[in-house]
């Protein structure tokens, strides 16, 4: 007979990881299912080199280090982790548990926590066609996984949001030159970061749109078009980082019989969905006042785990503080 987990967490982003850790502290038998080959969700896949400043008790941490710490933390309980496994469907069994269909073997669990963030995500690409070889050889990149690869190079960053500004600041002391290109004069980053960038050696090109890309010997010729005047100018760089945000696809949620608000799962203050013993947390949910932040998801995880375990084991006592659990 297939193993039946107390709790199956769908999504191995920061919020799913913390839910698994908290469930481990409650002695629950937990599994995580993650469709990517790595844990860490958006944080590890989309902005590993960005600094995160808004998690309590941590003055500032590189995104990839936050995930590394979460994985280390999780090792205290060694939950079962299914990587490269995507949940396709959630079927209720006659005894009120769940059979979860995936692209591999089905998984059985007494309760489920959905932590799928915005679903499958992909970077928003440049609006014009260019030689695909530039992607393949890393001359054009949609996110940075290794800052060191930019050391001593001329880097252009296209984008005007928070992470474009953060990338510019992180690369400025490492790269030979950093240019940021944005279609507006105003950046959408944190005011303090924007001011820091304006006072740095970062070359700011606004208001400009990217017009075309071409290989120029061993460099990349980035042609820019000034907004309104349409004047063209060309920049020679070693690498272009495009940071136009991401598109996400959470259409799979519509097949799981959940009450949705747009593409988010509706939950109450106990993180309950409309389906019994199915809870949802993190960026995947919506409720009044919801903020899509790691810290918010970290708060929702213990609520969902506690509610789930009360439903699965009604006689189980409420959570104690972590110190009493570890002593
Ligand atoms: C550029 C950028 C910068 C950000 N900066 C900050 C910041 O500084 N501070 C902050 O607090 N927040 C920040 N955020 C927001 C933060 O990343 C999210 O709030 C956080 O990642 C939400 O975590 P999560 O675990 O709910 O979802 P996610 O991180 O999205 O993880 C969900 C996981 O579920 C998996 N999944 C999806 N569908 C399935 C399926 N069907 N089966 C199995 N697995 C599935 C996905 O592959 C993914 O790994 C930023 C976001 C972006 C895009």
């Amino acid at each position: 007979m297939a193993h039946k987990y107390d709790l199956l967490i769908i999504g191995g982003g920061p919020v799913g990881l913390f839910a698994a850790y908290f469930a481990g502290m409650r002695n629950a038998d937990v599994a995580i299912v993650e469709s990517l080959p790595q844990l860490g969700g958006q944080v590890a896949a989309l902005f590993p080199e960005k600094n995160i400043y808004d998690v309590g008790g941590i003055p500032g941490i590189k995104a990839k280090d936050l995930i590394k710490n979460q994985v280390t933390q999780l090792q205290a309980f060694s939950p079962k982790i299914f990587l490269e496994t995507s949940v396709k469907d959630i079927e209720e069994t006659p005894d009120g548990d769940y059979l979860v269909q995936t692209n591999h073997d089905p998984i059985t669990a007494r309760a489920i926590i959905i932590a799928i963030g915005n679903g499958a995500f992909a970077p928003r690409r440049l609006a014009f066609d260019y030689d695909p070889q530039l992607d393949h050889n890393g001359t054009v990149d949609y996110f940075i996984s290794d800052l060191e690869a930019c050391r001593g190079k001329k880097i252009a960053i296209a984008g005007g949001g928070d992470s474009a500004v953060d990338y510019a600041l992180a690369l400025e002391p490492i790269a030979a030159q950093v240019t940021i290109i944005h279609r507006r004069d105003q950046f959408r980053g944190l005011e303090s970061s924007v001011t820091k960038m304006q006072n740095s050696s970062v070359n700011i090109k606004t208001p400009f749109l990217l017009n075309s890309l071409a290989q120029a010997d061993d460099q990349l010729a980035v042609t820019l078009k000034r907004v309104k005047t349409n004047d063209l100018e060309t920049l020679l760089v070693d690498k272009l980082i495009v940071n136009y945000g991401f598109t996400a696809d959470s259409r799979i949620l519509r097949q799981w019989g959940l009450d949705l608000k747009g593409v988010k799962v509706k939950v109450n203050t106990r993180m309950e969905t409309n389906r019994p013993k199915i809870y949802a947390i993190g960026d995947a949910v919506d409720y009044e006042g919801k903020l899509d932040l790691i810290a918010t998801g970290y708060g929702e995880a213990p609520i969902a785990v506690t509610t789930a375990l009360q439903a699965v084991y009604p006689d189980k006592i409420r959570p104690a503080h972590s110190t009493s659990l570890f002593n």
Side-chain angles (χ1 to χ4, degrees), residues 16-327:
L17 291 177
F18 186 59
Y21 172 70
F22 193 84
M25 291 210 299
R26 301 292 317 279
N27 276 343
D29 181 10
V30 187
I32 302 174
V33 195
E34 169 53 55
S35 54
L36 294 176
Q38 63 176 28
L39 294 170
Q42 297 172 51
V43 179
L46 305 185
F47 55 98
E49 294 288 347
K50 191 179 105 77
N51 283 321
I52 296 177
Y53 295 104
D54 46 6
V55 175
I58 302 177
I61 187 166
K62 236 178 213 185
K64 67 180 180 191
D65 293 332
L66 180 72
I67 296 304
K68 205 168 134 205
N69 289 351
Q70 281 202 253
V71 171
T72 305
Q73 188 184 40
L74 196 57
Q75 278 161 4
F77 304 110
S78 310
K80 177 73 186 168
I81 298 172
F82 298 93
L83 291 177
E84 293 183 83
T85 306
S86 291
V87 171
K88 303 292 178 197
D89 207 358
I90 302 175
E91 298 163 8
E92 198 166 339
T93 62
D95 52 3
D97 294 327
Y98 286 104
L99 185 70
V100 174
Q101 299 292 351
T102 74
N103 54 333
H104 300 298
D105 290 338
I107 304 167
T108 311
R110 295 184 164 86
I112 291 171
I113 295 181
I114 296 169
I116 65 166
N118 299 319
F121 43 76
R124 200 169 274 128
R125 297 183 59 84
L126 287 171
F128 53 85
D129 291 333
Y130 58 88
D131 182 357
Q133 191 55 29
L134 295 173
D135 280 350
H136 296 145
N137 65 20
T139 306
V140 177
D141 244 333
Y142 284 80
F143 44 90
I144 314 177
S145 49
D146 182 13
L147 280 182
E148 276 305 313
C150 299
R151 185 172 288 279
K153 298 201 169 145
K154 284 186 165 185
I155 309 290
I157 300 167
D162 210 10
S163 40
V165 173
D166 284 354
Y167 278 148
L169 286 173
L171 285 170
E172 193 241 11
I174 295 175
Q177 189 189 38
V178 178
T179 301
I180 189 163
I181 306 147
H182 183 38
R183 68 197 152 113
R184 297 204 180 92
D185 286 323
Q186 279 77 35
F187 287 88
R188 281 175 288 111
L190 277 177
E191 291 87 338
S192 54
S193 302
V194 174
T195 307
K196 197 169 167 193
M197 181 178 78
Q198 284 162 339
N199 293 331
S200 75
S201 69
V202 172
N203 177 26
I204 298 175
K205 301 291 290 178
T206 63
F208 277 99
L209 288 165
L210 267 70
N211 192 62
S212 63
L213 301 180
Q215 191 80 49
D217 297 326
D218 55 353
Q219 286 199 299
L220 178 70
V222 181
T223 302
L224 312 179
K225 185 162 74 176
R226 186 180 275 280
V227 174
K228 289 194 183 137
T229 65
N230 288 346
D231 292 343
L232 296 178
E233 59 181 85
T234 299
L235 206 67
L236 283 178
V237 296
D238 297 308
K239 188 178 180 72
L240 170 69
I241 297 159
V242 181
N243 200 271
Y244 285 169
F246 300 89
T247 57
D249 185 359
S250 54
R251 279 173 292 185
I252 189 94
L253 273 178
R254 297 194 189 127
Q255 296 165 34
W256 295 352
L258 298 163
D259 275 352
L260 302 180
K261 185 174 174 197
V263 290
K264 305 279 184 166
V265 184
K266 281 198 214 168
V267 289
N268 62 18
T269 54
R270 289 158 60 87
M271 302 300 129
E272 291 167 313
T273 70
N274 58 305
R275 291 188 72 177
K277 295 196 296 165
I278 300 187
Y279 311 86
I281 54 177
D283 279 13
V285 303
D286 193 37
Y287 53 82
E288 201 184 336
K290 167 68 184 168
L291 294 175
D292 284 348
L293 286 176
I294 297 162
T296 320
Y298 284 171
E300 293 157 0
I303 299 173
V305 169
T306 305
T307 313
L309 294 183
Q310 276 166 358
V312 170
Y313 299 114
D315 299 332
K316 213 170 162 121
I317 54 162
R318 290 177 68 81
H321 289 290
S322 58
T323 37
S324 59
L325 293 171
F326 276 99
N327 289 334

